[in-house]
Amino acid sequence: MPIASPEVYAEMLDRAKAGAFAYPAINVTSSQTLNAAIRGFADAQSDGIIQVSTGGAEYLSGPTVKNMVTGAVALAAYAHEVAKNYSVNIALHTDHCPKDKLDGYVRPLMAISKERVARGETPLFQSHMWDGSAVPLDENLRIAEELLAAAAAAHIVLEIEVGVVGGEEDGVANEINEKLYSTVEDGLATAATLGLGEKGRYITALTFGNVHGVYKPGNVKLRPEILKQIQDAVGEKYGVTKPLDLVFHGGSGSLLEEIREALDYGVVKMNIDTDTQYAFTRPVAGHMFANYDGVLKVDGEVGNKKAYDPRVWGRAAEEGLAKRVLVACEDLRSTGTSLGK
């Protein structure tokens, strides 16, 4: 199938919340990781989300170019072509974008999609994230309101973050403290400023102790019940059940029961990066150790071309990532839910 249209993406999100499941959102940094992620979704018969961060997009543009927009556009163009060969819907998303990178990343990409829509085409990306966790809430929501209007004009979904995710990702680091927990007041302020869909569709990353990277049990306390408290408060004010479409950030290493509880409270998207990075790299490390004298020209020998051919160890890496996507779909209850079935 082609990359999801705005209508298909909206249906994906609606079905996820109604069915209490979520789509894994897999960060990719190359055509290999993108192909592996799509394969994983296809094997699980699950639609899914593929996303690229500012650092990932910069990397994709080339090590001497370092242009985030170039990298993101190139990845999207590649994805639009290869996704046609699979029977699941794939949505493209850009991950965490802080204030100082909006003009160099999200805003230009939105402009490209607006131009495409004006020509009768679909947007280049289906959603973009504004990460306002580093600024005060009123500023966060003011910028979000402006971006939401631009996103709606380009038929794009906006993702926002209300609260703070701990740990570090792409050079953005936050301490592990009480700021990791969104409040009912945060949720009410979000709905008051952005509405509940009438100004454009958005998804919200509320925080309930989330931390980027893998952490050992006990280091951080996840409190998914916070999501229910916020949904209930906003829903009571506006007369809607589970009014917010929620996103789970920093989910690597989370307990399955915590993940499933969050799904019950309206999470429709869960970011997965650290776990899939390891799943991609681990088979490569195994191949290199097992074929040491083949991948290196030891003691003047010539090595073994079949061992150091990037397609050989790259295939193993892709299989590892695809299998981890399968696990993610099972954990998030999205297995077998594709609209294409």
Side-chain angles (χ1 to χ4, degrees):
M1 291 183 178
I3 293 295
S5 66
E7 295 76 18
V8 168
Y9 191 31
E11 186 176 357
M12 285 169 58
L13 298 177
D14 289 342
R15 279 167 53 97
K17 188 156 72 170
F21 67 88
Y23 298 106
I26 308 299
N27 281 74
V28 300
T29 55
S30 65
S31 59
Q32 278 189 301
T33 50
L34 181 142
N35 282 334
I38 297 178
R39 173 186 165 184
F41 286 124
D43 288 348
Q45 295 185 305
S46 169
D47 299 324
I49 300 169
I50 288 174
Q51 57 190 27
V52 58
S53 66
T54 56
E58 185 178 89
Y59 176 80
L60 277 157
S61 72
T64 61
V65 177
K66 296 184 177 182
N67 184 297
M68 294 180 289
V69 172
T70 295
V73 170
L75 177 79
Y78 183 85
H80 275 265
E81 190 60 37
V82 298
K84 297 175 185 177
N85 298 300
Y86 294 88
S87 59
V88 293
N89 297 287
I90 300 296
L92 300 178
H93 176 79
T94 60
D95 202 9
H96 292 269
C97 183
K99 181 180 178 180
D100 63 339
K101 294 183 179 179
L102 283 173
D103 287 342
Y105 194 46
V106 164
R107 287 191 175 107
L109 290 174
M110 282 188 175
I112 290 171
S113 285
K114 186 177 180 180
E115 292 171 1
R116 287 170 59 96
V117 168
R119 297 195 299 266
E121 302 172 16
T122 57
L124 188 64
F125 283 82
Q126 285 60 62
S127 51
H128 294 292
M129 183 189 175
W130 148 236
D131 183 352
S133 61
V135 302
L137 181 63
D138 59 347
E139 183 181 4
N140 182 350
L141 294 178
R142 178 179 56 76
I143 293 173
E145 187 174 25
E146 173 254 312
L147 292 172
L148 183 59
H155 300 176
I156 293 168
V157 174
L158 180 69
E159 179 179 334
I160 65 170
E161 183 170 312
V162 178
V164 175
V165 176
E168 187 274 336
E169 182 176 59
D170 269 4
V172 178
N174 291 303
E175 295 181 3
I176 298 175
N177 54 35
E178 280 300 312
K179 292 182 179 179
L180 304 188
Y181 302 97
S182 298
T183 66
V184 166
E185 290 72 26
D186 293 337
L188 290 169
T190 299
T193 302
L194 302 183
L196 293 177
E198 67 275 12
K199 295 183 180 181
R201 186 153 193 172
Y202 66 94
I203 54 181
T204 308
L206 296 174
T207 57
F208 51 101
N210 318 60
V211 175
H212 288 130
V214 175
Y215 49 87
K216 293 182 179 180
N219 285 3
V220 176
K221 174 60 177 175
L222 288 178
R223 291 158 48 191
E225 67 274 11
I226 286 175
L227 303 181
K228 183 178 187 304
Q229 293 165 5
I230 295 174
Q231 290 278 40
D232 288 349
V234 176
E236 182 179 359
K237 180 172 182 178
Y238 294 93
V240 182
T241 301
K242 287 195 295 189
L244 299 173
D245 298 332
L246 302 181
V247 182
F248 189 156
H249 283 194
S252 296
S254 299
L255 299 176
L256 183 58
E257 56 264 35
E258 294 171 336
I259 293 172
R260 294 274 174 86
E261 184 179 356
L263 302 185
D264 293 337
Y265 301 149
V267 166
V268 297
K269 171 181 179 280
M270 178 174 171
N271 292 8
I272 301 175
D273 189 12
T274 303
D275 287 353
T276 46
Q277 286 178 344
Y278 183 77
F280 184 82
T281 301
R282 178 61 182 84
V284 179
H287 176 86
M288 298 305 171
F289 282 121
N291 297 278
Y292 177 82
D293 57 352
V295 298
L296 296 179
K297 297 182 179 181
V298 180
D299 296 331
E301 295 297 325
V302 296
N304 180 354
K305 184 180 184 302
K306 291 183 178 179
Y308 60 73
D309 184 338
R311 291 170 295 183
V312 175
W313 51 264
R315 192 175 295 117
E318 291 184 33
E319 183 176 354
L321 194 156
K323 287 181 177 178
R324 184 60 184 82
V325 173
L326 268 171
V327 172
C329 290
E330 187 65 28
D331 289 349
L332 299 183
R333 303 174 180 151
S334 72
T335 300
T337 64
S338 174
L339 297 173
K341 285 190 65 180

